[in-house]
Short mmCIF file of all heavy atoms in Angstrom, two decimals:
data_model
loop_
_atom_site.label_atom_id
_atom_site.label_comp_id
_atom_site.label_asym_id
_atom_site.label_seq_id
_atom_site.Cartn_x
_atom_site.Cartn_y
_atom_site.Cartn_z
N THR A 91 -7.40 -17.25 -7.94
CA THR A 91 -8.42 -16.22 -8.09
C THR A 91 -9.44 -16.56 -9.17
O THR A 91 -10.59 -16.66 -8.86
CB THR A 91 -7.72 -14.91 -8.49
OG1 THR A 91 -7.02 -15.02 -9.69
CG2 THR A 91 -6.83 -14.40 -7.42
N VAL A 92 -9.06 -16.65 -10.40
CA VAL A 92 -9.98 -16.82 -11.51
C VAL A 92 -10.89 -18.07 -11.39
O VAL A 92 -12.10 -17.94 -11.44
CB VAL A 92 -9.25 -16.92 -12.88
CG1 VAL A 92 -10.14 -17.18 -14.03
CG2 VAL A 92 -8.47 -15.57 -13.07
N VAL A 93 -10.27 -19.26 -11.28
CA VAL A 93 -11.03 -20.43 -11.28
C VAL A 93 -12.06 -20.48 -10.13
O VAL A 93 -13.24 -20.65 -10.36
CB VAL A 93 -10.11 -21.69 -11.27
CG1 VAL A 93 -10.89 -22.98 -11.10
CG2 VAL A 93 -9.18 -21.70 -12.50
N PRO A 94 -11.65 -20.29 -8.87
CA PRO A 94 -12.67 -20.42 -7.79
C PRO A 94 -13.65 -19.24 -7.82
O PRO A 94 -14.80 -19.43 -7.48
CB PRO A 94 -11.82 -20.34 -6.49
CG PRO A 94 -10.47 -19.85 -6.86
CD PRO A 94 -10.23 -20.17 -8.31
N THR A 95 -13.25 -18.04 -8.31
CA THR A 95 -14.21 -16.91 -8.31
C THR A 95 -15.32 -17.24 -9.31
O THR A 95 -16.49 -17.05 -8.92
CB THR A 95 -13.48 -15.67 -8.77
OG1 THR A 95 -12.48 -15.30 -7.79
CG2 THR A 95 -14.44 -14.48 -8.96
N TYR A 96 -15.00 -17.66 -10.46
CA TYR A 96 -16.05 -17.95 -11.45
C TYR A 96 -16.87 -19.20 -11.04
O TYR A 96 -18.10 -19.28 -11.30
CB TYR A 96 -15.53 -18.09 -12.89
CG TYR A 96 -15.22 -16.71 -13.42
CD1 TYR A 96 -13.96 -16.22 -13.62
CD2 TYR A 96 -16.28 -15.78 -13.76
CE1 TYR A 96 -13.65 -15.03 -14.15
CE2 TYR A 96 -15.98 -14.49 -14.17
CZ TYR A 96 -14.66 -14.14 -14.43
OH TYR A 96 -14.37 -12.90 -14.86
N MET A 97 -16.29 -20.14 -10.36
CA MET A 97 -17.01 -21.29 -9.84
C MET A 97 -17.99 -20.81 -8.83
O MET A 97 -19.19 -21.27 -8.78
CB MET A 97 -16.07 -22.32 -9.28
CG MET A 97 -15.25 -23.05 -10.30
SD MET A 97 -13.96 -24.12 -9.64
CE MET A 97 -14.96 -25.34 -8.86
N ILE A 98 -17.61 -19.93 -7.93
CA ILE A 98 -18.46 -19.40 -6.86
C ILE A 98 -19.59 -18.61 -7.47
O ILE A 98 -20.75 -18.71 -7.10
CB ILE A 98 -17.71 -18.57 -5.85
CG1 ILE A 98 -16.81 -19.54 -5.02
CG2 ILE A 98 -18.61 -17.81 -4.94
CD1 ILE A 98 -15.72 -18.82 -4.24
N TYR A 99 -19.25 -17.73 -8.47
CA TYR A 99 -20.26 -17.00 -9.15
C TYR A 99 -21.30 -17.90 -9.78
O TYR A 99 -22.54 -17.61 -9.78
CB TYR A 99 -19.70 -16.10 -10.31
CG TYR A 99 -18.93 -14.91 -9.79
CD1 TYR A 99 -18.19 -14.14 -10.71
CD2 TYR A 99 -18.96 -14.46 -8.45
CE1 TYR A 99 -17.46 -13.02 -10.31
CE2 TYR A 99 -18.26 -13.38 -8.05
CZ TYR A 99 -17.53 -12.63 -9.01
OH TYR A 99 -16.82 -11.54 -8.58
N PHE A 100 -20.88 -19.01 -10.38
CA PHE A 100 -21.79 -20.05 -10.95
C PHE A 100 -22.75 -20.53 -9.97
O PHE A 100 -23.91 -20.75 -10.25
CB PHE A 100 -20.98 -21.12 -11.64
CG PHE A 100 -21.83 -22.18 -12.26
CD1 PHE A 100 -22.53 -21.94 -13.45
CD2 PHE A 100 -21.92 -23.43 -11.70
CE1 PHE A 100 -23.35 -22.89 -14.03
CE2 PHE A 100 -22.70 -24.39 -12.25
CZ PHE A 100 -23.41 -24.17 -13.45
N VAL A 101 -22.27 -20.76 -8.76
CA VAL A 101 -23.12 -21.27 -7.71
C VAL A 101 -24.21 -20.28 -7.27
O VAL A 101 -25.36 -20.67 -7.06
CB VAL A 101 -22.27 -21.71 -6.47
CG1 VAL A 101 -23.17 -22.05 -5.23
CG2 VAL A 101 -21.39 -22.88 -6.81
N VAL A 102 -23.86 -19.04 -7.25
CA VAL A 102 -24.81 -18.04 -6.69
C VAL A 102 -25.54 -17.19 -7.71
O VAL A 102 -26.51 -16.50 -7.44
CB VAL A 102 -24.12 -17.10 -5.68
CG1 VAL A 102 -23.56 -17.85 -4.51
CG2 VAL A 102 -23.02 -16.28 -6.34
N GLN A 103 -25.16 -17.30 -8.99
CA GLN A 103 -25.70 -16.53 -10.04
C GLN A 103 -26.12 -17.54 -11.18
O GLN A 103 -25.27 -18.31 -11.56
CB GLN A 103 -24.77 -15.47 -10.56
CG GLN A 103 -25.27 -14.50 -11.62
CD GLN A 103 -24.19 -13.50 -12.01
OE1 GLN A 103 -23.07 -13.74 -11.94
NE2 GLN A 103 -24.69 -12.35 -12.44
N PRO A 104 -27.28 -17.38 -11.75
CA PRO A 104 -27.72 -18.29 -12.78
C PRO A 104 -26.96 -18.10 -14.14
O PRO A 104 -27.63 -17.81 -15.15
CB PRO A 104 -29.24 -18.10 -12.90
CG PRO A 104 -29.39 -16.63 -12.50
CD PRO A 104 -28.36 -16.38 -11.44
N MET A 105 -25.71 -18.27 -14.11
CA MET A 105 -24.86 -18.07 -15.35
C MET A 105 -24.76 -19.45 -16.02
O MET A 105 -24.51 -20.50 -15.36
CB MET A 105 -23.49 -17.58 -14.90
CG MET A 105 -22.57 -17.30 -16.07
SD MET A 105 -22.89 -15.80 -16.96
CE MET A 105 -22.42 -14.59 -15.77
N PRO A 106 -24.96 -19.47 -17.34
CA PRO A 106 -24.79 -20.76 -18.07
C PRO A 106 -23.38 -21.31 -17.90
O PRO A 106 -22.39 -20.58 -17.97
CB PRO A 106 -25.07 -20.33 -19.56
CG PRO A 106 -25.81 -19.06 -19.45
CD PRO A 106 -25.34 -18.38 -18.21
N GLY A 107 -23.33 -22.62 -17.77
CA GLY A 107 -22.02 -23.29 -17.53
C GLY A 107 -21.02 -23.04 -18.68
O GLY A 107 -19.82 -22.87 -18.42
N ASP A 108 -21.50 -22.99 -19.93
CA ASP A 108 -20.53 -22.76 -21.03
C ASP A 108 -19.93 -21.37 -20.95
O ASP A 108 -18.78 -21.19 -21.30
CB ASP A 108 -21.21 -23.05 -22.36
CG ASP A 108 -22.35 -22.05 -22.69
OD1 ASP A 108 -23.13 -21.72 -21.80
OD2 ASP A 108 -22.47 -21.63 -23.86
N VAL A 109 -20.72 -20.38 -20.51
CA VAL A 109 -20.09 -19.06 -20.32
C VAL A 109 -19.08 -19.01 -19.21
O VAL A 109 -18.02 -18.45 -19.35
CB VAL A 109 -21.23 -18.03 -20.04
CG1 VAL A 109 -20.61 -16.64 -19.77
CG2 VAL A 109 -22.19 -17.89 -21.24
N VAL A 110 -19.36 -19.75 -18.12
CA VAL A 110 -18.43 -19.80 -17.01
C VAL A 110 -17.08 -20.51 -17.48
O VAL A 110 -16.04 -20.03 -17.13
CB VAL A 110 -19.00 -20.57 -15.81
CG1 VAL A 110 -17.97 -20.82 -14.71
CG2 VAL A 110 -20.23 -19.85 -15.25
N ILE A 111 -17.22 -21.52 -18.27
CA ILE A 111 -15.98 -22.19 -18.83
C ILE A 111 -15.19 -21.21 -19.67
O ILE A 111 -14.00 -21.11 -19.52
CB ILE A 111 -16.38 -23.46 -19.55
CG1 ILE A 111 -16.87 -24.52 -18.51
CG2 ILE A 111 -15.18 -24.01 -20.34
CD1 ILE A 111 -17.55 -25.73 -19.15
N LYS A 112 -15.88 -20.48 -20.52
CA LYS A 112 -15.18 -19.49 -21.37
C LYS A 112 -14.54 -18.40 -20.46
O LYS A 112 -13.41 -17.99 -20.76
CB LYS A 112 -16.21 -18.83 -22.36
CG LYS A 112 -16.67 -19.73 -23.41
CD LYS A 112 -17.73 -18.94 -24.27
CE LYS A 112 -18.43 -19.83 -25.21
NZ LYS A 112 -19.39 -19.09 -26.01
N GLN A 113 -15.22 -17.94 -19.39
CA GLN A 113 -14.65 -16.95 -18.53
C GLN A 113 -13.38 -17.48 -17.86
O GLN A 113 -12.36 -16.80 -17.85
CB GLN A 113 -15.71 -16.57 -17.44
CG GLN A 113 -16.83 -15.72 -17.97
CD GLN A 113 -17.94 -15.63 -16.90
OE1 GLN A 113 -18.23 -16.50 -16.15
NE2 GLN A 113 -18.49 -14.42 -16.82
N ILE A 114 -13.46 -18.70 -17.39
CA ILE A 114 -12.29 -19.31 -16.71
C ILE A 114 -11.10 -19.47 -17.69
O ILE A 114 -10.01 -19.10 -17.39
CB ILE A 114 -12.65 -20.62 -16.08
CG1 ILE A 114 -13.56 -20.41 -14.82
CG2 ILE A 114 -11.44 -21.46 -15.64
CD1 ILE A 114 -14.17 -21.68 -14.23
N LEU A 115 -11.41 -19.97 -18.89
CA LEU A 115 -10.36 -20.18 -19.89
C LEU A 115 -9.72 -18.86 -20.32
O LEU A 115 -8.53 -18.72 -20.33
CB LEU A 115 -10.88 -20.98 -21.09
CG LEU A 115 -11.22 -22.41 -20.76
CD1 LEU A 115 -11.81 -23.10 -22.02
CD2 LEU A 115 -9.99 -23.23 -20.35
N CYS A 116 -10.57 -17.88 -20.69
CA CYS A 116 -10.06 -16.60 -21.18
C CYS A 116 -9.27 -15.90 -20.09
O CYS A 116 -8.24 -15.36 -20.34
CB CYS A 116 -11.21 -15.75 -21.71
SG CYS A 116 -11.97 -16.38 -23.21
N GLU A 117 -9.90 -15.77 -18.89
CA GLU A 117 -9.22 -15.04 -17.77
C GLU A 117 -7.97 -15.84 -17.34
O GLU A 117 -7.01 -15.23 -16.95
CB GLU A 117 -10.16 -14.89 -16.61
CG GLU A 117 -11.21 -13.78 -16.85
CD GLU A 117 -10.59 -12.38 -16.64
OE1 GLU A 117 -9.61 -12.17 -15.90
OE2 GLU A 117 -11.12 -11.43 -17.32
N GLY A 118 -8.00 -17.15 -17.43
CA GLY A 118 -6.85 -17.91 -17.08
C GLY A 118 -5.71 -17.68 -18.01
O GLY A 118 -4.57 -17.48 -17.57
N VAL A 119 -5.97 -17.63 -19.31
CA VAL A 119 -4.95 -17.30 -20.27
C VAL A 119 -4.41 -15.88 -20.07
O VAL A 119 -3.22 -15.65 -20.10
CB VAL A 119 -5.49 -17.52 -21.73
CG1 VAL A 119 -4.52 -16.90 -22.73
CG2 VAL A 119 -5.75 -18.95 -22.01
N LEU A 120 -5.29 -14.97 -19.77
CA LEU A 120 -4.91 -13.56 -19.51
C LEU A 120 -3.96 -13.55 -18.28
O LEU A 120 -2.95 -12.83 -18.25
CB LEU A 120 -6.09 -12.69 -19.33
CG LEU A 120 -5.85 -11.24 -18.93
CD1 LEU A 120 -4.94 -10.53 -19.96
CD2 LEU A 120 -7.10 -10.44 -18.63
N MET A 121 -4.32 -14.34 -17.30
CA MET A 121 -3.47 -14.34 -16.07
C MET A 121 -2.09 -14.85 -16.33
O MET A 121 -1.08 -14.36 -15.83
CB MET A 121 -4.13 -15.17 -14.97
CG MET A 121 -3.64 -14.82 -13.61
SD MET A 121 -3.69 -13.09 -13.11
CE MET A 121 -5.39 -12.79 -13.31
N VAL A 122 -1.94 -15.89 -17.20
CA VAL A 122 -0.66 -16.40 -17.60
C VAL A 122 0.18 -15.31 -18.39
O VAL A 122 1.31 -15.14 -18.15
CB VAL A 122 -0.75 -17.67 -18.44
CG1 VAL A 122 0.58 -18.14 -19.01
CG2 VAL A 122 -1.34 -18.81 -17.54
N ILE A 123 -0.54 -14.61 -19.21
CA ILE A 123 0.08 -13.54 -20.02
C ILE A 123 0.58 -12.48 -19.06
O ILE A 123 1.71 -11.98 -19.14
CB ILE A 123 -0.90 -12.95 -21.03
CG1 ILE A 123 -1.15 -13.96 -22.17
CG2 ILE A 123 -0.33 -11.64 -21.62
CD1 ILE A 123 -2.32 -13.60 -23.09
N LEU A 124 -0.24 -12.07 -18.12
CA LEU A 124 0.13 -11.09 -17.13
C LEU A 124 1.31 -11.53 -16.23
O LEU A 124 2.23 -10.75 -15.98
CB LEU A 124 -1.06 -10.64 -16.24
CG LEU A 124 -2.22 -9.94 -16.95
CD1 LEU A 124 -3.39 -9.80 -15.99
CD2 LEU A 124 -1.80 -8.62 -17.51
N GLY A 125 1.29 -12.74 -15.85
CA GLY A 125 2.40 -13.36 -15.07
C GLY A 125 3.68 -13.30 -15.86
O GLY A 125 4.77 -12.96 -15.31
#
Side-chain angles (χ1 to χ4, degrees):
T91 60
V92 173
V93 175
T95 296
Y96 284 109
M97 289 172 68
I98 291 166
Y99 287 170
F100 178 72
V101 170
V102 299
Q103 185 179 26
M105 183 74 71
D108 63 322
V109 175
V110 173
I111 290 169
K112 289 177 190 177
Q113 289 171 320
I114 289 171
L115 291 175
C116 291
E117 284 283 332
V119 168
L120 176 59
M121 199 55 58
V122 170
I123 291 168
L124 294 172

